[in-house]
Amino acid sequence: MGVPPVTSVPGLTMPLRTFLRLGFVWLACALGTPAAVASISMDSTPPEVEGTRLSESDRFARIDSLTVVYDDAPKSGRGLSAYRLGQLYLSTGLRKHRRLALDFLEEAVRLGYEPVAAAQLRAVTAQNMRYTSDASSWFESVVEEHDDPSGHVMLGRFYFTEAKRQLDDTLFRKAKHAFIAAAKIDSTLQDAWYGLALSLFALEEYASVNQVAPRLAEWDQTRAAGLFLEGAARAKTNYSHQAQPLFTAALATSSPEVRDVFLHGDGFLNSDNLPDQLMAQIDPTLLIAAMRQHKQGWIEGDDVEFDVALQDPSVRKIAVDLYWNWNNLHPTSAVNERRLRFWTRLVMADVLFGTDNHRGWQSEPGQTIVRWGRPDFMIYEPPSNGIDMEDWIHQGVRLSQSEIIPSQVALWVWTYRRDGNWFSLLFQDPTYQANWRTTSKTSENVRAMSRAQPLTFFDTKQEPRFRLAFRTASFPSARSTKVESYVAITPDSRFRASADSAQVERLASVEWAIFDENNERLEYVQRDVTARHYRSNLHAALGQPVPGGRNDPLLSQLGAALQPGQYRLALDVSGFDGSHRAAEVRLIIPSPVPPGLFVLSELQLASAFAPYHPSQDVPTEFVKYAYGIVPAPSAVYPSDASAVYVYFEAHNLLTGADGKTQFNVTYEVFRQRIGTSIGRGSRELTEKELAGIEPVGLTFVEESTGVSADGIVIKAGQVDIVALAPGRYVLKVEVVDLLSERVARRYVPFLKSRR
């Protein structure tokens, strides 16, 4: 779906086509430029003035000589000297000289020397001295008296930097209108367009940002900033698939420090908040190599320390990727929405709190934006002897009971109240320069919350009214391996009642995707699930007994052929009511079966197996080699189930002179001993697992003869379990090739329910 066209930007009467042809001057360092500490935001740093590049002695010598000229000149002729002296006193950087500089600049303005430049410098100086009321009126007077676009840009810059101090939307809007006014006067003034893009972003007017930001990306200096702004705006307007490549392009031109923050979560995803469970999914050889490199004296066999191993860039990249996979609401999507939201928050923090000296995410308010997003509401209190705590509580502030409220400093309270979370954070500014810092108690709380959950997205949805079971089986061949997934969606009574009441046809949607080891999506399938997919209806359509028990799951089956490698297989299931569940597994696909090697595929458990005829109302996903197979993804059979069905394939059985194979299949059931655990999936068992099972006397031997042109023999067995008591069991399938005397076996666990 394309982006809806926007024909104008609010406040401009010119056509959008003309609007987007315009350029802008760089007002802040772009992401990825050599000055890596500078943000993409606007700062209130004054322009370079006369004397900046002089030594201290030369600077004061020039002040002395100009003072003589100033004193000797008639009052009406002092404009030039006053303007230069104002700049020279500013260049000393001494606080005591600012007031003197401001007096000289006021005189230059009054005498009409360089009226626009002198007036702008006077206003900027007043702003930096925190004479904000004077600065505002002086900036406004410049644009009233001199309809010069640079005056509007300076006014916009003033309002933007003042707005950043308390995130004041009223001031951000004034900044936006000032930049628009500048663009109306001079449609080629690049400063105006960059300021407008930042103002729109700060105001969260993302649709307009989407129209302005692409132009920024056409200029070398502003390319990365434009890409970041547009990427974040696209993500905010739900065009995630367009946002991802924009962020990728921006990061390609960024500094290593910026890439480490975006890609590796530096400063936000550290060893104390990356779960240790991730270590179990990382290749042990990588962990061993990392420990040897980063811990002196470490030898194989010593404990692997996760925080040490994370110092290795390869291990850290894998761990962070695993973290984001775990925190992916929709694992089948080619885009991780939460990771995009993390990147968008980084851009937001940089715009709102970045300066010429640091990135926005390095400030404490910026870090808060990244971890929790923008607050639901804020309260600003100027310095005073005390605050009305009851009023704060009435407005919804929820601070820790042990929080001590400072006095005589500016205070800023941020409150988050959503998805069952309700907490407030308290910032203070003893410097009166908007250098906000959390109080000691808030800082302690932030550290504790960050350790428990480094990034919070407040996107928990309603508890789904269905259970999800998900199982895979692999069927190798000489060319590739076919991987099949079996899905069981077991609705509760409310789900079925709502579906019946609404008379919906599509009960659920199943999305299934496969990703390679670089997290590139290779396969994607979406399938609707209807009433035809109820297990009871599938049994009835195949003419098989309908299972009893309280559960009647909806079933789905999907598959794809894969080459050798490591993969992530993801599943998203969405109910008709909007509820959702997800699951994923990691697969290692071995090399294709070499010629002559006798192997069995994995075992597919089923609840029914019968010849298929096109007249039967069975979805084709359940038809294989002219048989209808009803999978049992949960591997749970009701108490009245009479049999377990199992499907598998045998490869490279020897053929005799008559071109036929001869083999025996043995099915044997074992009971799992109490306290033992057999992992899911069908495979060979370890010695420890074999010691945890015992035969129950159910053994069935089937002698078969078959013909297979490609060396694959398809088998389906039916094992009687009527006599089994409820409990956990393991089914063993063993195939003996009677011609070559070779043996292959597989095990698969299942459960017989009490209901």
Side-chain angles (χ1 to χ4, degrees):
M1 180 182 296
V3 181
V6 177
T7 57
S8 65
V9 173
L12 280 181
T13 56
M14 68 182 71
L16 181 62
R17 184 175 302 168
T18 303
F19 178 84
L20 293 179
R21 276 202 294 263
L22 308 176
F24 33 83
V25 171
W26 183 234
L27 292 177
C29 294
L31 288 168
T33 60
V37 295
S39 73
I40 64 173
S41 190
M42 288 181 178
D43 206 356
S44 58
T45 304
E48 184 173 325
V49 294
E50 181 180 352
T52 303
R53 300 178 186 273
L54 296 177
S55 66
E56 184 177 352
S57 59
D58 290 343
R59 185 182 301 120
F60 282 105
R62 186 173 294 185
I63 288 175
D64 291 340
S65 63
L66 267 176
T67 301
V68 173
V69 173
Y70 173 85
D71 291 339
D72 291 343
K75 287 188 177 181
S76 60
R78 289 177 175 177
L80 171 60
S81 300
Y83 182 53
R84 293 184 62 191
L85 282 169
Q87 295 184 68
L88 286 166
Y89 276 115
L90 283 177
S91 71
T92 68
L94 299 176
R95 190 185 230 24
K96 64 182 181 181
H97 287 160
R98 288 184 182 175
R99 181 67 250 185
L100 193 56
L102 194 58
D103 290 340
F104 278 116
L105 291 171
E106 286 186 24
E107 185 174 7
V109 171
R110 188 174 65 253
L111 294 173
Y113 182 81
E114 293 288 343
V116 176
Q120 290 175 350
L121 185 56
R122 176 185 65 168
V124 170
T125 302
Q127 181 186 8
N128 288 328
M129 294 174 70
R130 303 309 308 142
Y131 300 157
T132 52
S133 178
D134 287 340
S136 176
S137 63
W138 288 342
F139 276 121
E140 293 282 2
S141 68
V142 169
V143 300
E144 289 174 4
E145 297 170 11
H146 310 278
D147 198 16
D148 185 283
S150 64
H152 289 281
V153 168
M154 294 296 289
L155 179 63
R157 188 185 183 99
F158 164 75
Y159 281 130
F160 187 88
T161 53
E162 287 301 306
K164 286 169 57 179
R165 298 174 67 86
Q166 300 168 27
L167 302 189
D168 187 330
D169 280 355
T170 299
L171 296 180
F172 279 130
R173 277 190 287 272
K174 288 185 175 181
K176 179 184 77 170
H177 294 309
F179 290 124
I180 289 175
K184 286 181 177 179
I185 298 170
D186 183 354
S187 62
T188 65
L189 189 60
Q190 301 166 12
D191 311 42
W193 300 104
Y194 192 75
L196 178 58
L198 291 177
S199 301
L200 291 169
F201 193 86
L203 287 166
E204 301 181 90
E205 296 180 13
Y206 301 117
S208 295
V209 176
N210 285 334
Q211 302 303 312
V212 177
R215 181 67 177 173
L216 278 72
E218 297 178 11
W219 297 75
D220 289 341
Q221 275 188 308
T222 60
R223 179 171 296 121
L227 290 169
F228 273 114
L229 288 170
E230 186 184 2
R234 296 280 181 202
K236 280 289 192 177
T237 49
N238 298 320
Y239 293 103
S240 301
H241 288 79
Q242 297 174 6
Q244 179 77 49
L246 290 165
F247 275 117
T248 301
L251 290 169
T253 64
S254 297
S255 68
E257 294 81 6
V258 170
R259 287 198 296 271
D260 283 344
V261 175
F262 277 78
L263 299 178
H264 301 150
D266 280 9
F268 298 97
L269 299 177
N270 302 317
S271 58
D272 59 349
N273 48 40
L274 280 174
D276 290 340
Q277 299 94 306
L278 294 176
M279 193 165 62
Q281 298 191 43
I282 299 176
D283 186 345
T285 59
L286 283 178
L287 296 173
I288 291 170
M291 291 302 299
R292 284 175 174 164
Q293 180 177 353
H294 297 284
K295 185 166 185 178
Q296 188 175 3
W298 189 91
I299 60 174
E300 191 169 348
D302 292 350
D303 289 340
V304 174
E305 300 172 31
F306 196 32
D307 57 337
V308 175
L310 283 174
Q311 297 175 26
D312 186 88
S314 298
V315 173
R316 179 164 181 79
K317 179 185 182 304
I318 294 171
V320 171
D321 286 345
L322 287 170
Y323 170 84
W324 284 117
N325 287 340
W326 279 20
N327 285 276
N328 192 350
L329 286 177
H330 296 279
T332 61
S333 173
V335 175
N336 189 323
E337 299 282 350
R338 281 182 168 176
R339 194 167 199 172
L340 276 184
R341 289 171 68 183
F342 169 60
W343 291 353
T344 299
R345 286 178 179 181
L346 287 169
V347 176
M348 178 64 73
D350 208 31
V351 169
L352 297 180
F353 298 105
T355 70
D356 288 349
N357 300 314
H358 68 257
R359 308 313 296 249
W361 57 76
Q362 294 171 328
S363 68
E364 291 192 32
Q367 291 174 7
T368 303
I369 290 279
V370 175
R371 294 196 185 281
W372 293 287
R374 293 182 78 156
D376 293 290
F377 68 89
M378 301 175 292
I379 298 175
Y380 171 77
E381 294 281 356
S384 66
N385 292 323
I387 57 97
D388 186 347
M389 195 63 196
E390 289 189 7
D391 181 59
W392 277 14
I393 294 172
H394 178 72
Q395 292 186 62
V397 172
R398 180 171 286 188
L399 292 168
S400 171
Q401 290 185 350
S402 56
E403 182 76 70
I404 299 175
I405 310 299
S407 60
Q408 298 301 328
V409 297
L411 300 175
W412 202 9
V413 189
W414 291 18
T415 298
Y416 294 84
R417 188 176 181 181
R418 61 190 87 156
D419 290 352
N421 296 274
W422 189 358
F423 61 92
S424 298
L425 305 175
L426 180 59
F427 298 88
Q428 59 180 332
D429 176 26
T431 68
Y432 304 98
Q433 295 296 322
N435 294 322
W436 296 103
R437 300 285 187 272
T438 52
T439 61
S440 58
K441 185 60 183 179
T442 291
S443 181
E444 178 185 326
N445 293 339
V446 165
R447 286 194 299 271
M449 289 189 293
S450 300
R451 282 194 298 270
Q453 192 169 355
L455 302 166
T456 303
F457 297 100
F458 305 108
D459 51 10
T460 305
K461 297 186 177 181
Q462 62 172 318
E463 183 65 23
R465 296 178 176 180
F466 60 86
R467 299 195 308 274
L468 178 64
F470 178 42
R471 185 178 292 264
T472 65
S474 298
F475 302 93
S477 70
R479 293 175 298 277
S480 62
T481 297
K482 184 177 182 182
V483 175
E484 292 184 352
S485 294
Y486 315 108
V487 182
I489 306 161
T490 305
D492 64 15
S493 57
R494 295 172 301 168
F495 184 101
R496 298 196 68 155
S498 297
D500 292 343
S501 174
Q503 296 183 335
V504 295
E505 181 178 352
R506 181 182 65 84
L507 298 174
S509 172
V510 174
E511 296 172 272
W512 185 81
I514 295 178
F515 298 81
D516 65 14
E517 55 189 332
N518 295 319
N519 219 30
E520 293 293 326
R521 192 168 70 175
L522 306 178
E523 296 278 349
Y524 173 80
V525 177
Q526 186 277 329
R527 186 165 290 162
D528 289 343
V529 178
T530 67
R532 299 171 65 209
H533 292 76
Y534 276 118
R535 182 178 62 187
S536 58
N537 291 341
L538 292 171
H539 275 247
L542 289 169
Q544 299 296 301
V546 175
R550 294 171 56 184
N551 297 323
D552 187 12
L554 293 158
L555 301 174
S556 185
Q557 180 171 319
L558 311 99
L562 298 176
Q563 296 300 315
Q566 298 185 38
Y567 300 91
R568 177 170 64 91
L569 195 155
L571 178 75
D572 280 309
V573 177
S574 302
F576 75 95
D577 57 354
S579 59
H580 172 265
R581 285 193 188 275
E584 65 176 49
V585 296
R586 293 189 176 272
L587 303 173
I588 297 178
I589 302 299
S591 300
V593 178
L597 180 63
F598 175 43
V599 296
L600 294 185
S601 71
E602 293 184 325
L603 308 178
Q604 176 192 350
L605 289 176
S607 60
F609 185 95
Y612 167 75
H613 189 273
S615 62
Q616 295 171 319
D617 187 23
V618 177
T620 55
E621 64 198 87
F622 301 106
V623 178
K624 189 186 302 185
Y625 298 109
Y627 280 86
I629 303 174
V630 181
S634 64
V636 176
Y637 292 83
S639 59
D640 64 347
S642 60
V644 167
Y645 292 83
V646 59
Y647 170 89
F648 62 93
E649 297 174 1
H651 296 257
N652 296 322
L653 286 162
L654 201 63
T655 55
D658 59 357
K660 296 183 178 181
T661 59
Q662 297 182 35
F663 57 95
N664 285 347
V665 182
T666 302
Y667 305 94
E668 188 172 5
V669 178
F670 297 80
R671 178 183 292 108
Q672 291 188 41
R673 293 192 176 99
I674 296 176
T676 63
S677 176
I678 307 297
R680 297 186 62 178
S682 61
R683 54 188 169 80
E684 288 278 11
L685 298 187
T686 64
E687 291 186 8
K688 181 179 179 180
E689 289 173 325
L690 287 170
I693 62 176
E694 56 186 5
V696 296
L698 280 181
T699 303
F700 172 65
V701 181
E702 176 187 356
E703 184 176 341
S704 301
T705 300
V707 179
S708 175
D710 55 3
I712 301 177
V713 174
I714 312 303
K715 288 297 298 180
Q718 178 180 344
V719 180
D720 191 321
I721 60 169
V722 171
L724 292 181
R728 297 184 178 277
Y729 297 90
V730 175
L731 173 63
K732 170 187 171 184
V733 176
E734 183 176 274
V735 178
V736 178
D737 186 344
L738 299 177
L739 297 179
S740 67
E741 299 183 351
R742 293 176 297 180
V743 180
R745 62 182 64 86
R746 288 276 188 177
Y747 298 80
V748 63
F750 69 94
L751 170 71
K752 188 171 184 182
S753 173
R754 297 183 180 277
R755 294 183 289 189

